[in-house]
Amino acid sequence: MSVLARLEATIAARKGADPDSSWTAKLLAKGPEKCAEKFGEEAVEAIIEAVKGDRAKLTSEAADVLYHLLVMLAARDVALAEVLVELERREGISGISEKASR
């Protein structure tokens, strides 16, 4: 099992947890909109570190982005497996062609 799959399982387990005992439970209790907002904040922080060129801080922020992406997906009951299937569907297709097909 990959680290992302384990993290997804941990997030799922926290869905019904007491928000006072878990950051994940607290985020999920605030609803999908707050989860999406937090994901956006973390993405912006990663962008800032990418522009600055600080590899260590970018690595840390990228980990935050992945975590908050999984929380946002969980808030809308979208499984990581569904995202991976979509990535597999796109594999080998030019990004230009794929975008034009939408």
Side-chain angles (χ1 to χ4, degrees), residues 12-99:
R14 301 287 194 278
K15 254 188 161 180
D18 177 7
D20 291 332
S21 68
S22 163
W23 171 248
T24 301
K26 185 175 287 195
L27 278 175
L28 290 167
K30 291 180 180 182
E33 295 82 5
K34 184 63 176 178
C35 295
E37 179 185 327
K38 189 62 181 164
F39 170 73
E41 290 171 11
E42 296 299 336
V44 169
E45 290 173 12
I47 291 165
I48 291 167
E49 296 307 332
V51 170
K52 286 181 179 178
D54 187 321
R55 291 175 52 86
K57 287 183 180 177
L58 175 56
T59 299
S60 178
E61 292 299 339
D64 289 347
V65 168
L66 291 173
Y67 163 76
H68 285 90
L69 173 62
L70 291 175
V71 171
M72 181 177 66
L73 292 173
R76 288 293 187 195
D77 295 318
V78 175
L80 176 60
E82 294 175 72
V83 176
L84 297 177
V85 166
E86 178 61 15
L87 285 172
E88 286 178 350
R89 183 190 69 76
R90 295 179 186 186
E91 192 172 15
I93 299 171
S94 159
I96 294 170
S97 299
E98 195 280 329
K99 195 137 183 112

